[in-house]
Each structure stands twice: as C-alpha cells, then as structure tokens.
Amino acid sequence: MFKHVLIPTDGSPLSTSALEKALDFAREIGAEATVLVVMEPLQVLTLNPTGMEVAYAEYDRQNNEAADGILADAQEAAKQRLVACETVKLGSLDPASTIVETAGTYHCDVIAMASHGRSGFKAFMLGSVTMKVLAHSKTPVLVYR
C-alpha cells in the first residue's frame, strides 16, 4: 500500500523512538524512507542588535551540527534494517508546513511521526506540529505516541 514513508524527527527521545518504529514499519511493508529534520532559525527580539551576528552564526553552526548528527543516526538505523533511506535537512519558521510540503516534493505515501501528547493549555500555548500536520496534510499521517 505505502511505498515511501516520510519520517520527520527532532532528535528527542520520543521522536527517535517513533523514527525506529517507522523504519521497522517501512521494512515490513518494503517501503523506502525519507528522514527529515526541520531546523528553526533563531528568533531574538532586541533593541540593540550589535553583535547578534555572532550569536546567529553560532546558533546556525550548532543547529546544523545537531541536525547532521540526527540524520547520520537515522541513516545508520535505516541501514541496520536494510531500508533504503534518504535524509533531508531544511530550515523553516513553520515546521508543520515544511513537513507537509516535503511529503509532496518527495512523493511520500505516508508521514510517520511522533506526538508529544500535549493537550489542553500546553497544546494551545506550545502548539503541536503533529496536530498542524494532521490538519493540513493530504498525505495520510501515522502518529506514534
């Protein structure tokens, strides 16, 4: 049924667990996988921007380094499961939209991702990337909790 699974991850323990389950699923159904990390840029509101270039550059360096590590670990996990896997790293202020767009760009049949299980006020204040993906995606979404 599914031939290509998009697996967004942020490297958190819950997201890593979902990644492993999604790769197992991909192996079971004979699908390929694309693992996606969406990096959010640093946003700072300041009245004195002097010297902020250094902070932005250091944040970008650390963010890229972390994303590269997450994707390398994902690639290794896919290799161990004999799942064909491509990795993608994108920057965006809106991770949910980027996930939905990436599913279309890479012709994915299903998006498999974690949910942190926030509800009520926490979900309202912090937002939920998973809920936004569920609301806006035309591609089926498999949610691991």
PDB file of all heavy atoms in Angstrom, residues 102-131:
ATOM      1  N   THR A 102       7.247  18.767   2.087  1.00  0.00           N
ATOM      2  CA  THR A 102       8.286  17.778   1.797  1.00  0.00           C
ATOM      3  C   THR A 102       7.659  16.439   1.400  1.00  0.00           C
ATOM      4  O   THR A 102       8.166  15.758   0.498  1.00  0.00           O
ATOM      5  CB  THR A 102       9.234  17.606   2.991  1.00  0.00           C
ATOM      6  OG1 THR A 102       9.815  18.884   3.302  1.00  0.00           O
ATOM      7  CG2 THR A 102      10.339  16.612   2.701  1.00  0.00           C
ATOM      8  N   ALA A 103       6.561  16.081   2.039  1.00  0.00           N
ATOM      9  CA  ALA A 103       5.865  14.839   1.661  1.00  0.00           C
ATOM     10  C   ALA A 103       5.459  14.898   0.195  1.00  0.00           C
ATOM     11  O   ALA A 103       5.610  13.911  -0.536  1.00  0.00           O
ATOM     12  CB  ALA A 103       4.648  14.623   2.549  1.00  0.00           C
ATOM     13  N   GLY A 104       4.980  16.047  -0.249  1.00  0.00           N
ATOM     14  CA  GLY A 104       4.608  16.200  -1.659  1.00  0.00           C
ATOM     15  C   GLY A 104       5.808  16.221  -2.580  1.00  0.00           C
ATOM     16  O   GLY A 104       5.820  15.560  -3.624  1.00  0.00           O
ATOM     17  N   THR A 105       6.827  16.950  -2.198  1.00  0.00           N
ATOM     18  CA  THR A 105       8.032  17.081  -3.016  1.00  0.00           C
ATOM     19  C   THR A 105       8.705  15.733  -3.260  1.00  0.00           C
ATOM     20  O   THR A 105       9.170  15.452  -4.360  1.00  0.00           O
ATOM     21  CB  THR A 105       9.034  18.043  -2.346  1.00  0.00           C
ATOM     22  OG1 THR A 105       8.417  19.319  -2.183  1.00  0.00           O
ATOM     23  CG2 THR A 105      10.308  18.189  -3.163  1.00  0.00           C
ATOM     24  N   TYR A 106       8.740  14.895  -2.228  1.00  0.00           N
ATOM     25  CA  TYR A 106       9.420  13.604  -2.324  1.00  0.00           C
ATOM     26  C   TYR A 106       8.460  12.458  -2.649  1.00  0.00           C
ATOM     27  O   TYR A 106       8.845  11.298  -2.589  1.00  0.00           O
ATOM     28  CB  TYR A 106      10.206  13.317  -1.037  1.00  0.00           C
ATOM     29  CG  TYR A 106      11.450  14.158  -0.937  1.00  0.00           C
ATOM     30  CD1 TYR A 106      11.395  15.470  -0.467  1.00  0.00           C
ATOM     31  CD2 TYR A 106      12.680  13.669  -1.362  1.00  0.00           C
ATOM     32  CE1 TYR A 106      12.527  16.258  -0.399  1.00  0.00           C
ATOM     33  CE2 TYR A 106      13.818  14.444  -1.296  1.00  0.00           C
ATOM     34  CZ  TYR A 106      13.734  15.747  -0.816  1.00  0.00           C
ATOM     35  OH  TYR A 106      14.856  16.529  -0.754  1.00  0.00           O
ATOM     36  N   HIS A 107       7.205  12.786  -2.973  1.00  0.00           N
ATOM     37  CA  HIS A 107       6.201  11.799  -3.375  1.00  0.00           C
ATOM     38  C   HIS A 107       6.019  10.708  -2.320  1.00  0.00           C
ATOM     39  O   HIS A 107       5.995   9.512  -2.643  1.00  0.00           O
ATOM     40  CB  HIS A 107       6.542  11.185  -4.733  1.00  0.00           C
ATOM     41  CG  HIS A 107       6.819  12.214  -5.772  1.00  0.00           C
ATOM     42  ND1 HIS A 107       5.831  13.026  -6.306  1.00  0.00           N
ATOM     43  CD2 HIS A 107       7.978  12.613  -6.367  1.00  0.00           C
ATOM     44  CE1 HIS A 107       6.361  13.852  -7.176  1.00  0.00           C
ATOM     45  NE2 HIS A 107       7.659  13.635  -7.231  1.00  0.00           N
ATOM     46  N   CYS A 108       5.893  11.136  -1.068  1.00  0.00           N
ATOM     47  CA  CYS A 108       5.704  10.186   0.026  1.00  0.00           C
ATOM     48  C   CYS A 108       4.234   9.797   0.130  1.00  0.00           C
ATOM     49  O   CYS A 108       3.345  10.628  -0.042  1.00  0.00           O
ATOM     50  CB  CYS A 108       6.185  10.798   1.343  1.00  0.00           C
ATOM     51  SG  CYS A 108       7.951  11.178   1.325  1.00  0.00           S
ATOM     52  N   ASP A 109       3.977   8.529   0.446  1.00  0.00           N
ATOM     53  CA  ASP A 109       2.615   7.993   0.580  1.00  0.00           C
ATOM     54  C   ASP A 109       2.065   8.198   1.979  1.00  0.00           C
ATOM     55  O   ASP A 109       0.854   8.170   2.191  1.00  0.00           O
ATOM     56  CB  ASP A 109       2.597   6.480   0.332  1.00  0.00           C
ATOM     57  CG  ASP A 109       3.230   6.085  -0.958  1.00  0.00           C
ATOM     58  OD1 ASP A 109       2.753   6.518  -2.013  1.00  0.00           O
ATOM     59  OD2 ASP A 109       4.219   5.334  -0.895  1.00  0.00           O
ATOM     60  N   VAL A 110       2.949   8.298   2.966  1.00  0.00           N
ATOM     61  CA  VAL A 110       2.543   8.400   4.367  1.00  0.00           C
ATOM     62  C   VAL A 110       3.605   9.180   5.136  1.00  0.00           C
ATOM     63  O   VAL A 110       4.793   9.119   4.801  1.00  0.00           O
ATOM     64  CB  VAL A 110       2.317   6.987   4.988  1.00  0.00           C
ATOM     65  CG1 VAL A 110       3.601   6.175   5.007  1.00  0.00           C
ATOM     66  CG2 VAL A 110       1.691   7.067   6.363  1.00  0.00           C
ATOM     67  N   ILE A 111       3.155   9.918   6.130  1.00  0.00           N
ATOM     68  CA  ILE A 111       4.047  10.622   7.053  1.00  0.00           C
ATOM     69  C   ILE A 111       3.947   9.894   8.381  1.00  0.00           C
ATOM     70  O   ILE A 111       2.844   9.688   8.902  1.00  0.00           O
ATOM     71  CB  ILE A 111       3.622  12.095   7.227  1.00  0.00           C
ATOM     72  CG1 ILE A 111       3.634  12.828   5.884  1.00  0.00           C
ATOM     73  CG2 ILE A 111       4.520  12.796   8.256  1.00  0.00           C
ATOM     74  CD1 ILE A 111       2.974  14.209   5.916  1.00  0.00           C
ATOM     75  N   ALA A 112       5.063   9.470   8.951  1.00  0.00           N
ATOM     76  CA  ALA A 112       5.084   8.772  10.236  1.00  0.00           C
ATOM     77  C   ALA A 112       5.874   9.622  11.214  1.00  0.00           C
ATOM     78  O   ALA A 112       7.052   9.895  11.000  1.00  0.00           O
ATOM     79  CB  ALA A 112       5.729   7.396  10.079  1.00  0.00           C
ATOM     80  N   MET A 113       5.202  10.076  12.282  1.00  0.00           N
ATOM     81  CA  MET A 113       5.865  10.994  13.204  1.00  0.00           C
ATOM     82  C   MET A 113       5.390  10.808  14.634  1.00  0.00           C
ATOM     83  O   MET A 113       4.362  10.168  14.877  1.00  0.00           O
ATOM     84  CB  MET A 113       5.649  12.440  12.749  1.00  0.00           C
ATOM     85  CG  MET A 113       4.215  12.885  12.714  1.00  0.00           C
ATOM     86  SD  MET A 113       3.979  14.499  11.909  1.00  0.00           S
ATOM     87  CE  MET A 113       4.961  15.582  12.924  1.00  0.00           C
ATOM     88  N   ALA A 114       6.123  11.384  15.547  1.00  0.00           N
ATOM     89  CA  ALA A 114       5.793  11.310  16.968  1.00  0.00           C
ATOM     90  C   ALA A 114       4.849  12.432  17.359  1.00  0.00           C
ATOM     91  O   ALA A 114       4.768  13.465  16.693  1.00  0.00           O
ATOM     92  CB  ALA A 114       7.070  11.416  17.801  1.00  0.00           C
ATOM     93  N   SER A 115       4.147  12.188  18.455  1.00  0.00           N
ATOM     94  CA  SER A 115       3.365  13.241  19.094  1.00  0.00           C
ATOM     95  C   SER A 115       3.803  13.276  20.544  1.00  0.00           C
ATOM     96  O   SER A 115       3.917  12.237  21.197  1.00  0.00           O
ATOM     97  CB  SER A 115       1.873  12.946  19.012  1.00  0.00           C
ATOM     98  OG  SER A 115       1.154  13.892  19.777  1.00  0.00           O
ATOM     99  N   HIS A 116       4.048  14.460  21.037  1.00  0.00           N
ATOM    100  CA  HIS A 116       4.479  14.596  22.430  1.00  0.00           C
ATOM    101  C   HIS A 116       3.310  14.464  23.393  1.00  0.00           C
ATOM    102  O   HIS A 116       3.496  14.479  24.596  1.00  0.00           O
ATOM    103  CB  HIS A 116       5.217  15.919  22.634  1.00  0.00           C
ATOM    104  CG  HIS A 116       6.565  15.919  21.983  1.00  0.00           C
ATOM    105  ND1 HIS A 116       7.680  15.381  22.573  1.00  0.00           N
ATOM    106  CD2 HIS A 116       6.975  16.353  20.771  1.00  0.00           C
ATOM    107  CE1 HIS A 116       8.713  15.489  21.769  1.00  0.00           C
ATOM    108  NE2 HIS A 116       8.312  16.072  20.660  1.00  0.00           N
ATOM    109  N   GLY A 117       2.089  14.360  22.865  1.00  0.00           N
ATOM    110  CA  GLY A 117       0.936  14.098  23.709  1.00  0.00           C
ATOM    111  C   GLY A 117       0.465  15.284  24.531  1.00  0.00           C
ATOM    112  O   GLY A 117      -0.204  15.115  25.539  1.00  0.00           O
ATOM    113  N   ARG A 118       0.822  16.479  24.123  1.00  0.00           N
ATOM    114  CA  ARG A 118       0.349  17.656  24.852  1.00  0.00           C
ATOM    115  C   ARG A 118      -1.128  17.856  24.574  1.00  0.00           C
ATOM    116  O   ARG A 118      -1.598  17.643  23.464  1.00  0.00           O
ATOM    117  CB  ARG A 118       1.116  18.900  24.416  1.00  0.00           C
ATOM    118  CG  ARG A 118       2.566  18.886  24.792  1.00  0.00           C
ATOM    119  CD  ARG A 118       3.216  20.216  24.436  1.00  0.00           C
ATOM    120  NE  ARG A 118       4.642  20.129  24.600  1.00  0.00           N
ATOM    121  CZ  ARG A 118       5.519  20.062  23.615  1.00  0.00           C
ATOM    122  NH1 ARG A 118       5.106  20.077  22.365  1.00  0.00           N
ATOM    123  NH2 ARG A 118       6.793  19.979  23.861  1.00  0.00           N
ATOM    124  N   SER A 119      -1.830  18.318  25.578  1.00  0.00           N
ATOM    125  CA  SER A 119      -3.246  18.623  25.380  1.00  0.00           C
ATOM    126  C   SER A 119      -3.607  19.866  26.172  1.00  0.00           C
ATOM    127  O   SER A 119      -2.805  20.365  26.965  1.00  0.00           O
ATOM    128  CB  SER A 119      -4.115  17.440  25.821  1.00  0.00           C
ATOM    129  OG  SER A 119      -3.923  17.191  27.198  1.00  0.00           O
ATOM    130  N   GLY A 120      -4.799  20.342  25.945  1.00  0.00           N
ATOM    131  CA  GLY A 120      -5.306  21.479  26.703  1.00  0.00           C
ATOM    132  C   GLY A 120      -4.456  22.723  26.536  1.00  0.00           C
ATOM    133  O   GLY A 120      -4.048  23.084  25.436  1.00  0.00           O
ATOM    134  N   PHE A 121      -4.177  23.376  27.647  1.00  0.00           N
ATOM    135  CA  PHE A 121      -3.470  24.649  27.647  1.00  0.00           C
ATOM    136  C   PHE A 121      -2.048  24.520  27.091  1.00  0.00           C
ATOM    137  O   PHE A 121      -1.588  25.371  26.335  1.00  0.00           O
ATOM    138  CB  PHE A 121      -3.438  25.238  29.061  1.00  0.00           C
ATOM    139  CG  PHE A 121      -2.844  26.613  29.120  1.00  0.00           C
ATOM    140  CD1 PHE A 121      -3.525  27.693  28.585  1.00  0.00           C
ATOM    141  CD2 PHE A 121      -1.603  26.822  29.695  1.00  0.00           C
ATOM    142  CE1 PHE A 121      -2.987  28.968  28.631  1.00  0.00           C
ATOM    143  CE2 PHE A 121      -1.058  28.094  29.745  1.00  0.00           C
ATOM    144  CZ  PHE A 121      -1.744  29.170  29.218  1.00  0.00           C
ATOM    145  N   LYS A 122      -1.354  23.432  27.442  1.00  0.00           N
ATOM    146  CA  LYS A 122       0.006  23.236  26.926  1.00  0.00           C
ATOM    147  C   LYS A 122       0.013  23.161  25.402  1.00  0.00           C
ATOM    148  O   LYS A 122       0.850  23.753  24.742  1.00  0.00           O
ATOM    149  CB  LYS A 122       0.634  21.964  27.494  1.00  0.00           C
ATOM    150  CG  LYS A 122       1.194  22.101  28.866  1.00  0.00           C
ATOM    151  CD  LYS A 122       1.896  20.816  29.261  1.00  0.00           C
ATOM    152  CE  LYS A 122       2.472  20.927  30.646  1.00  0.00           C
ATOM    153  NZ  LYS A 122       3.138  19.694  31.060  1.00  0.00           N
ATOM    154  N   ALA A 123      -0.926  22.408  24.843  1.00  0.00           N
ATOM    155  CA  ALA A 123      -1.002  22.292  23.385  1.00  0.00           C
ATOM    156  C   ALA A 123      -1.327  23.643  22.764  1.00  0.00           C
ATOM    157  O   ALA A 123      -0.777  24.008  21.724  1.00  0.00           O
ATOM    158  CB  ALA A 123      -2.061  21.267  22.982  1.00  0.00           C
ATOM    159  N   PHE A 124      -2.203  24.402  23.410  1.00  0.00           N
ATOM    160  CA  PHE A 124      -2.566  25.717  22.897  1.00  0.00           C
ATOM    161  C   PHE A 124      -1.368  26.665  22.934  1.00  0.00           C
ATOM    162  O   PHE A 124      -1.077  27.363  21.965  1.00  0.00           O
ATOM    163  CB  PHE A 124      -3.726  26.306  23.713  1.00  0.00           C
ATOM    164  CG  PHE A 124      -4.060  27.720  23.342  1.00  0.00           C
ATOM    165  CD1 PHE A 124      -4.722  27.989  22.150  1.00  0.00           C
ATOM    166  CD2 PHE A 124      -3.708  28.774  24.163  1.00  0.00           C
ATOM    167  CE1 PHE A 124      -5.031  29.293  21.790  1.00  0.00           C
ATOM    168  CE2 PHE A 124      -4.008  30.078  23.809  1.00  0.00           C
ATOM    169  CZ  PHE A 124      -4.667  30.339  22.623  1.00  0.00           C
ATOM    170  N   MET A 125      -0.644  26.683  24.040  1.00  0.00           N
ATOM    171  CA  MET A 125       0.474  27.616  24.202  1.00  0.00           C
ATOM    172  C   MET A 125       1.702  27.188  23.392  1.00  0.00           C
ATOM    173  O   MET A 125       2.357  28.017  22.782  1.00  0.00           O
ATOM    174  CB  MET A 125       0.860  27.750  25.683  1.00  0.00           C
ATOM    175  CG  MET A 125      -0.186  28.477  26.510  1.00  0.00           C
ATOM    176  SD  MET A 125      -0.586  30.105  25.868  1.00  0.00           S
ATOM    177  CE  MET A 125       0.914  30.988  26.185  1.00  0.00           C
ATOM    178  N   LEU A 126       2.010  25.929  23.425  1.00  0.00           N
ATOM    179  CA  LEU A 126       3.223  25.447  22.756  1.00  0.00           C
ATOM    180  C   LEU A 126       2.972  25.081  21.305  1.00  0.00           C
ATOM    181  O   LEU A 126       3.904  24.981  20.521  1.00  0.00           O
ATOM    182  CB  LEU A 126       3.786  24.232  23.506  1.00  0.00           C
ATOM    183  CG  LEU A 126       4.214  24.487  24.945  1.00  0.00           C
ATOM    184  CD1 LEU A 126       4.600  23.180  25.607  1.00  0.00           C
ATOM    185  CD2 LEU A 126       5.349  25.485  25.016  1.00  0.00           C
ATOM    186  N   GLY A 127       1.712  24.869  20.979  1.00  0.00           N
ATOM    187  CA  GLY A 127       1.405  24.429  19.626  1.00  0.00           C
ATOM    188  C   GLY A 127       1.767  22.971  19.463  1.00  0.00           C
ATOM    189  O   GLY A 127       2.422  22.387  20.309  1.00  0.00           O
ATOM    190  N   SER A 128       1.324  22.384  18.415  1.00  0.00           N
ATOM    191  CA  SER A 128       1.641  20.994  18.155  1.00  0.00           C
ATOM    192  C   SER A 128       1.910  20.839  16.674  1.00  0.00           C
ATOM    193  O   SER A 128       1.002  20.990  15.857  1.00  0.00           O
ATOM    194  CB  SER A 128       0.485  20.090  18.583  1.00  0.00           C
ATOM    195  OG  SER A 128       0.700  18.785  18.112  1.00  0.00           O
ATOM    196  N   VAL A 129       3.138  20.554  16.351  1.00  0.00           N
ATOM    197  CA  VAL A 129       3.498  20.335  14.954  1.00  0.00           C
ATOM    198  C   VAL A 129       2.687  19.172  14.403  1.00  0.00           C
ATOM    199  O   VAL A 129       2.157  19.240  13.296  1.00  0.00           O
ATOM    200  CB  VAL A 129       5.021  20.080  14.810  1.00  0.00           C
ATOM    201  CG1 VAL A 129       5.363  19.661  13.394  1.00  0.00           C
ATOM    202  CG2 VAL A 129       5.801  21.327  15.210  1.00  0.00           C
ATOM    203  N   THR A 130       2.548  18.114  15.193  1.00  0.00           N
ATOM    204  CA  THR A 130       1.795  16.948  14.737  1.00  0.00           C
ATOM    205  C   THR A 130       0.345  17.310  14.431  1.00  0.00           C
ATOM    206  O   THR A 130      -0.198  16.897  13.396  1.00  0.00           O
ATOM    207  CB  THR A 130       1.852  15.823  15.794  1.00  0.00           C
ATOM    208  OG1 THR A 130       3.220  15.532  16.069  1.00  0.00           O
ATOM    209  CG2 THR A 130       1.151  14.567  15.305  1.00  0.00           C
ATOM    210  N   MET A 131      -0.285  18.073  15.301  1.00  0.00           N
ATOM    211  CA  MET A 131      -1.684  18.471  15.070  1.00  0.00           C
ATOM    212  C   MET A 131      -1.807  19.314  13.799  1.00  0.00           C
ATOM    213  O   MET A 131      -2.752  19.160  13.035  1.00  0.00           O
ATOM    214  CB  MET A 131      -2.241  19.238  16.268  1.00  0.00           C
ATOM    215  CG  MET A 131      -2.457  18.370  17.489  1.00  0.00           C
ATOM    216  SD  MET A 131      -3.589  16.993  17.216  1.00  0.00           S
ATOM    217  CE  MET A 131      -5.110  17.856  16.956  1.00  0.00           C
TER     218      MET A 131
END
